[in-house]
Amino acid sequence: MSTDFNLELASILDGKASIEHQIDIHVNDLFGVKETDQVSLADVLDGLRYVMNYRIKGGRLPNLEPDLMKRLCEGLLLNMSDTEGGLLKKKMTPEAEEAFILFGEFLEEVEEFRQAVGQKNVSDLANAMKLHRRCRNDASPEVKQAVVAVIYMLTEWFPQFSDWRELVKREEQNDVEKVIKDLSASFKKAKMPSRKGVPLPPPSLYFDRDVTRCVKMFRTSLTDGLSSTNISPLLEHYGPNKLPDPPKPSVLKMLLHQLTDFMVLILLAATIVTGAEKDFKGMSVLLAVIILNTIIGFTQEYKANKALEALTKLAVPQAQVIRDGQKVVIDSSQLVPGDIVILEEGDSVPADVRIVECSQFEVIESILTGESLPVSKNTKKIWTRTRSLPLGDCKGNAFMSTMVAKGRAKGLVVRTGNNTEIGKISAAITSSPNMQTPIQRKLSRLGIWLVVLAIILCVLVVVIGLIYKRNSKDMISVGMSLAVSVIPEGLVAVTTVTMAIGVRRMAARNAIVRTLPAVETLGSVTVICSDKTGTLTEGKMGPSELWSADDSLYSFTKPTVLDPNEGEIEFLSPEYRQRVSKLGRSSTPKVSKTLIKKIDDDNNNELPIKPQPVTRELNDAPAHMVAALMISSLCNNAAVVKSKSEEESKNSWKGIGDPTEIALILAAQKGGFSKEFWEKKQGFTKIREQPFDSERKLMSVVYKFDYSNLPANLNQTNKYIVMAKGAPEELLQKCTSRLPVSNFSKSPITFEQIIGEKEGTQNVPLSDDFVDKVSEESSRMASNGLRVLGLALKTVSVADESLEASSLEEIIVVTDDNESVVESTLNPAFAENEFTFVGLIGLIDPPRAGVADSVQKCKDAGIRVIMITGDHIATATAIATDIGIFEPGVSGMNRAIRGVDLDLLSDDAIAALEPFPNVFARVSPNNKLKIVKALQDLGNSVAMTGDGVNDAPAIKAANIGVAMGISGTEITKQAADIILANDDFSTIVSAVEIGRQVFDNILKFIVYLLSCNGAEIIVFLLSASINSDLPFTTIMILWANIIADVPPAMSLGVEPGEKDIMRRRPRNPKAGVLDKVAIVTLTTQSFVMALSSFGIYQIALKIEDKRLEDARSLAFATLTTLQLLQGFLSRTLNISVFKMGFFGNKWMIGSVLGSFIAMLIGVYVPAIEFTNSLPSLFEVIRDWLELTPVSGFGWLKIIICCMVLILTSEFTKWYGRHVRNSAVRANQQKLKKVETEDEESK
């Protein structure tokens, strides 16, 4: 009896400890919920509600730990006073009401909570409870009942709170008093309101609960699952298991988006003004420009913008579930928390689940964590005081839309729909506002300045006219015409077309652009945050080097090429490694050909120092290497097979299985010792397998071999080989010996001698020195970014009849029909002990070809590259060093930081890191978002790359989001601005170059357009200021803008990039479109064109005494010709036109020639005598333009003006070069000064 009592007491105490642990987690979240977006207050309160209803209420646990209850009291008081709404409609938030009700329930149920409340003073309670707001008419009956119950408990149980009026301000007591009177019948026996229905556990991962507790919480069964009668109410409570449909932009919205651009609005305003002046000709021209721009922009957006529609593609259509004791397949949207789902290899996980049963269960979570290697799962609970556990550490959970790589399991559904991890990410993306790109902001600011200028000029012209006592109505009309001339009609259209051309150029380089402004924005980035796996690296594992127990080192060529006929193994002699080390390199096979030649030249060919290809013959190859490759191929379940591609004439190779094991298969194949070689040619037969698990960190297999296929003098009593691979430190503990020493270059030991253990070649017992050597080599490989595995074997002689023996270890037996059967028997001879250590093999996901050059190109362009990865910090730093992102000896380029360290820092503290890290390792999705925001706070324009769903929020928040086209998930692609069709970092750099070229061209045609329009403005102002007739009519201005602005500006949009474009510093994201040099350039050229045109006009009118129509025609021809010449001069703002040449842009030649012909038609067509048979178009031109022919002497004056413009342009370019060179020199001196100060401080 006493034994049963003690067991029951222990169970109660264990239950109490578990509840206190759960409350402790929720209390921690109560104090930090407002500073984090990882958990919501509603989730925390739901957790406390479940604990109250399911474990405490009804006197189940009347006593809990006092300090915990004191902290809970503080946490609830802190969160029960939040309000929402305006001043007149302010009310308590739903979360605040729930916190208040929980406060009352804990007050009612737990003695220690009452003690904590008794220690509070009146003012603290009054300020937190806000009883008057909870007694208003809009308060629910449940809340009002809770108020009465709380008042009753406080006044009855605590003498210091005996008068409830002390808890409410005098002017706010009426509502409270009214509620107390209304509920007076129940006041003396007031209780907290009861909750209807059965308490249901809130959605959570429950990694800190054991399987039995989780199953009990959800009232389900591992064998029978849920009853079908319970599904409907559960679906009603939790909602369907599907992600919300993504917003679909309508055609109308996309059209409105084009028409609400600020510059388009300016054109619309100008159109209305022109129409109000009854200038319907000008109005029709402006409308044509607006329509052209809208068509181009809408077409591009309509093709590219799918706006997150791919979210639905991530949903798993069906799930295998146990209900009513039967296995059934249902629509995954019908899953509810409490369902038991069956997960098998190749399945996609249909919801967030708690693993309740599993066998060799591994899941690929790269979609969420970015790590490509499968994660081993188990059913064990994780004891923690926080719910914010990194996803990669949640070994007892599997997440929605991840993929089962191996094994099978049962999962208890704990979160569905929006509550899943992927659901939270999708919600974060859909709620993230679309930010304006830099070019949109800059053009908007430019448009505002133009509007302000138009208003000022309009007023100025009117005032000048009134001063000269001219007709006010006429002057207002002139002012309106001048305002129209300020607006560069072609700016919006040319900008759109230029960016569209950039889109096509990027597409040709495998960069697909989803929105037009992203083209220019990419050119302005100052920081590129790049994922490592698949972007900077090839995204697939391959063998890099092999170190054997005789201290021999081998390297692999073409490590990731799947074709076994490509690549080989090379032996690196000790002399070679020593010589490399002396030259300042680590002992690694990654050495340049130049260095190899230097070593060979220094050696005078006395020793075979440089890498030597290794033979593929069994008896001629180094025995240690053969033994290592044998283990790599046979202790392995992966395969590399040939498959037919769509084109029958071509064959391709593909890897099947775990990426690490595929890399080991590649190592064996490149040496010529594949699994087929051992099994088919040497007669090896697989007998047993002990799978890898996270506790042992080992995998072992047992092979029986037919000794008749091996050399005749082999010891024939050894019929079985046990081979193992795994973590070097774990494997060494199970080894008692190592293979004997050989010398590959002088007198090698053969594989026959090792396997047969002939006299003189017996295994050598392990020594401390050897173990230290293995540790040293393992550390060296790891520091070079390699994933290191140890290899070991032992040969045993076992009679066939004694193969089976009792053991507690689970193994896999391979039957005659090659099927694997799980058993729990193992002969002691096959146990994982007394191994002979063979060597270490280092695997790597190598950098992509050309990435190092691209990183250097970014440095030359002033762009900082930051690596953000889920990999370990040592691996990340090694790869970053190899490609030039991390430079150990360079200040500001040698800092790496882990995600767990970032979690301890606030956003401001991250931004204040000095120097800012170049490598971020083991990061979470939230870390990536913090990094992007910190860089933006520092004034950077950030490009963020990624492939998994976990990257999507950071990609959405970045100035430019870049998704991977091959490995990227659909949700990431739709959240991104640019998609890399080949997943290559070098493509980003090429796209940046095109983006810079696009902005360069935009700047060129802005300078061109504004200088042309500025000339028109100056001519108008000069004419108005001297009370002269205006030199142009409104339609003349519009005609000049169409023929002399738009075609040359379009040609500037396709101008080839300048040679030094990737050697310039990035533009300041906060700077305007025009810098000081550009403003000086366009102002000077505007005045030259304006003064030339105005001078010729006044000479013709006042000195030559020409008619007004003839003077206007001459001024029109002068200004238009100068503007067309300005198109050639604007092809570069830095280089002399004589160095640049006039004929580098064929489009410019064609457009200027066409525009000049159009001008001549407008000038000379009016002189033609029309007949009824002539085209009506000529009549329209004559009637609209009102121009007259220009004489030969007039053209001579125009040529002289052109020469003056060329000289002025050359002078402004010289000035611009001088200013920029001075700035560069000043910046270099500043950097040199900083470096000097750093050296002095050191």
Side-chain angles (χ1 to χ4, degrees), residues 13-147:
L13 292 175
D14 179 63
K16 179 182 177 183
S18 176
I19 294 303
E20 288 176 342
H21 172 64
Q22 293 305 312
I23 295 175
D24 187 33
I25 293 175
H26 297 312
V27 169
N28 290 335
D29 289 336
L30 280 176
F31 286 102
V33 71
K34 294 181 179 179
E35 283 74 38
T36 180
D37 55 2
Q38 293 183 344
V39 63
S40 68
L41 180 58
D43 290 338
V44 179
L45 296 175
D46 283 346
L48 285 170
R49 163 60 53 201
Y50 181 77
V51 172
M52 167 56 66
N53 289 354
Y54 190 62
R55 304 304 299 275
I56 297 177
K57 210 164 191 177
R60 293 188 184 96
L61 278 176
N63 299 99
L64 292 169
E65 203 273 320
D67 184 63
L68 177 61
M69 290 297 99
K70 184 177 180 180
R71 291 171 52 234
L72 175 61
C73 177
E74 294 282 356
L76 290 174
L77 290 174
L78 180 67
N79 290 282
M80 71 167 64
S81 58
D82 295 336
T83 57
E84 62 184 4
L87 291 175
L88 299 178
K89 295 184 179 181
K90 187 171 288 188
K91 61 180 181 179
M92 311 308 296
T93 64
E95 291 81 7
E97 299 288 32
E98 178 65 13
F100 177 76
I101 293 175
L102 282 168
F103 174 85
E105 291 178 346
F106 274 98
L107 184 65
E108 186 177 48
E109 296 287 344
V110 182
E111 172 62 29
E112 288 75 14
F113 191 87
R114 290 193 285 273
Q115 294 173 7
V117 173
Q119 297 174 10
K120 311 300 291 183
N121 59 51
V122 173
S123 61
D124 288 343
L125 287 180
N127 291 332
M129 292 193 298
K130 297 187 186 308
L131 296 177
H132 65 289
R133 292 194 182 279
R134 293 184 161 92
C135 292
R136 291 179 177 176
N137 293 332
D138 57 358
S140 66
E142 183 184 36
V143 173
K144 291 179 179 178
Q145 183 181 344
V147 169

Side-chain angles (χ1 to χ4, degrees), residues 366-618:
S366 58
I367 191 174
L368 290 173
T369 64
E371 294 190 51
S372 58
L373 296 177
V375 179
S376 180
K377 299 292 183 178
N378 56 55
T379 62
K380 296 178 181 178
K381 71 176 182 179
I382 303 171
W383 190 268
T384 177
R385 292 192 63 188
T386 177
R387 72 171 69 198
S388 59
L389 196 66
L391 297 184
D393 295 336
C394 296
K395 303 298 184 183
N397 296 93
F399 299 96
M400 186 177 184
S401 294
T402 58
M403 188 68 64
V404 179
K406 182 180 179 181
R408 65 189 311 275
K410 283 184 181 179
L412 169 66
V413 176
V414 291
R415 297 195 304 195
T416 57
N418 286 342
N419 292 313
T420 62
E421 202 63 36
I422 198 170
K424 293 177 182 179
I425 293 173
S426 68
I429 296 172
T430 54
S431 64
S432 177
N434 289 321
M435 298 172 60
Q436 277 194 323
T437 63
I439 192 63
Q440 290 173 322
R441 292 194 298 268
K442 291 171 183 177
L443 290 178
S444 294
R445 287 200 297 267
L446 179 62
I448 292 171
W449 278 107
L450 291 175
V451 169
V452 173
L453 181 62
I455 294 172
I456 292 174
L457 292 175
C458 184
V459 172
L460 184 61
V461 169
V462 172
V463 170
I464 292 173
L466 293 177
I467 291 174
Y468 284 110
K469 297 182 180 181
R470 302 187 69 172
N471 184 281
S472 58
K473 185 176 180 181
D474 291 341
M475 293 312 301
I476 291 174
S477 177
V478 170
M480 291 293 185
S481 299
L482 181 58
V484 170
S485 72
V486 172
I487 308 301
E489 294 85 357
L491 178 60
V492 176
V494 175
T495 303
T496 304
V497 170
T498 302
M499 289 190 288
I501 292 169
V503 167
R504 289 198 296 270
R505 286 176 174 173
M506 287 188 180
R509 298 196 189 184
N510 294 310
I512 302 168
V513 180
R514 294 186 61 243
T515 55
L516 280 180
V519 179
E520 182 279 332
T521 309
L522 186 59
S524 66
V525 297
T526 57
V527 177
I528 299 176
C529 296
S530 177
D531 189 25
K532 177 182 75 69
T533 305
T535 308
L536 295 170
T537 64
E538 293 185 12
K540 47 190 177 182
M541 299 291 286
S544 177
E545 57 184 277
L546 171 66
W547 179 84
S548 58
D550 60 345
D551 196 22
S552 295
L553 186 64
Y554 305 88
S555 68
F556 297 82
T557 62
K558 299 183 179 181
T560 57
V561 176
L562 297 179
D563 189 341
N565 299 315
E566 294 190 32
E568 60 184 2
I569 301 177
E570 296 180 335
F571 171 71
L572 308 179
S573 67
E575 294 84 0
Y576 171 84
R577 293 156 59 189
Q578 184 178 6
R579 192 66 60 87
V580 171
S581 180
K582 286 182 179 179
L583 290 175
R585 305 291 184 95
S586 61
S587 297
T588 172
K590 293 180 285 185
V591 182
S592 68
K593 293 180 180 179
T594 304
L595 184 58
I596 293 173
K597 185 177 185 304
K598 176 175 176 57
I599 294 170
D600 192 40
D601 292 342
D602 292 346
N603 188 61
N604 295 323
N605 296 319
E606 292 178 6
L607 290 171
I609 285 184
K610 65 181 182 181
Q612 304 169 64
V614 177
T615 180
R616 294 190 172 200
E617 296 297 325
L618 178 64

Side-chain angles (χ1 to χ4, degrees), residues 125 165 204 232 376 391 411 434 627 692 696 801 859 987 1175 1196:
L125 287 180
R165 292 174 178 81
S204 184
S232 294
S376 180
L391 297 184
N434 289 321
F692 176 89
R696 291 171 28 254
E801 62 271 13
K859 291 179 181 178
T987 303
L1196 179 61

Side-chain angles (χ1 to χ4, degrees), residues 834-852:
E834 298 183 353
F835 280 120
T836 297
F837 189 81
V838 175
L840 301 170
I841 188 166
L843 312 177
I844 191 172
D845 177 9
R848 284 180 177 269
V851 164

Side-chain angles (χ1 to χ4, degrees), residues 1043-1119:
I1043 65 170
D1045 285 6
V1046 177
M1050 291 282 190
S1051 302
L1052 288 173
V1054 295
E1055 180 70 26
E1058 297 180 24
K1059 293 180 180 179
D1060 67 339
I1061 199 166
M1062 285 302 283
R1063 293 194 296 272
R1064 304 174 191 169
R1065 307 296 298 175
R1067 303 186 310 277
N1068 185 348
K1070 296 181 180 179
V1073 177
L1074 303 173
D1075 58 14
K1076 292 180 181 179
V1077 174
I1079 292 173
V1080 170
T1081 299
L1082 75 88
T1083 303
T1084 304
Q1085 293 173 351
S1086 295
F1087 270 98
V1088 171
M1089 289 188 287
L1091 292 174
S1092 300
S1093 303
F1094 180 73
I1096 286 181
Y1097 172 68
Q1098 290 299 320
I1099 290 171
L1101 200 63
K1102 301 290 178 64
I1103 298 176
E1104 297 178 354
D1105 200 23
K1106 289 181 179 284
R1107 293 185 306 151
L1108 178 62
E1109 293 80 5
D1110 294 336
R1112 281 180 170 173
S1113 292
L1114 182 57
F1116 174 81
T1118 302
L1119 183 59

Side-chain angles (χ1 to χ4, degrees), residues 963-1091:
M964 303 298 108
I966 299 173
S967 61
T969 57
E970 290 300 319
I971 180 175
T972 312
K973 295 176 188 176
Q974 298 304 328
D977 302 291
I978 293 175
I979 301 166
L980 303 184
N982 59 356
D983 289 12
D984 194 343
F985 178 82
S986 299
T987 303
I988 303 176
V989 182
S990 298
V992 169
E993 184 174 356
I994 294 173
R996 287 191 171 192
Q997 181 182 335
V998 166
F999 180 83
D1000 243 21
N1001 292 348
I1002 289 175
L1003 177 61
K1004 290 172 185 176
F1005 66 64
I1006 285 177
V1007 170
Y1008 171 70
L1009 289 175
L1010 293 185
S1011 62
C1012 293
N1013 285 47
E1016 296 167 4
I1017 294 167
I1018 295 169
V1019 171
F1020 265 89
L1021 282 175
L1022 290 174
S1023 299
S1025 63
I1026 63 172
N1027 197 23
S1028 172
D1029 290 323
L1030 297 180
F1032 312 118
T1033 62
T1034 302
I1035 194 63
M1036 283 183 188
I1037 295 171
L1038 291 174
W1039 178 246
N1041 287 352
I1042 290 173
I1043 65 170
D1045 285 6
V1046 177
M1050 291 282 190
S1051 302
L1052 288 173
V1054 295
E1055 180 70 26
E1058 297 180 24
K1059 293 180 180 179
D1060 67 339
I1061 199 166
M1062 285 302 283
R1063 293 194 296 272
R1064 304 174 191 169
R1065 307 296 298 175
R1067 303 186 310 277
N1068 185 348
K1070 296 181 180 179
V1073 177
L1074 303 173
D1075 58 14
K1076 292 180 181 179
V1077 174
I1079 292 173
V1080 170
T1081 299
L1082 75 88
T1083 303
T1084 304
Q1085 293 173 351
S1086 295
F1087 270 98
V1088 171
M1089 289 188 287
L1091 292 174

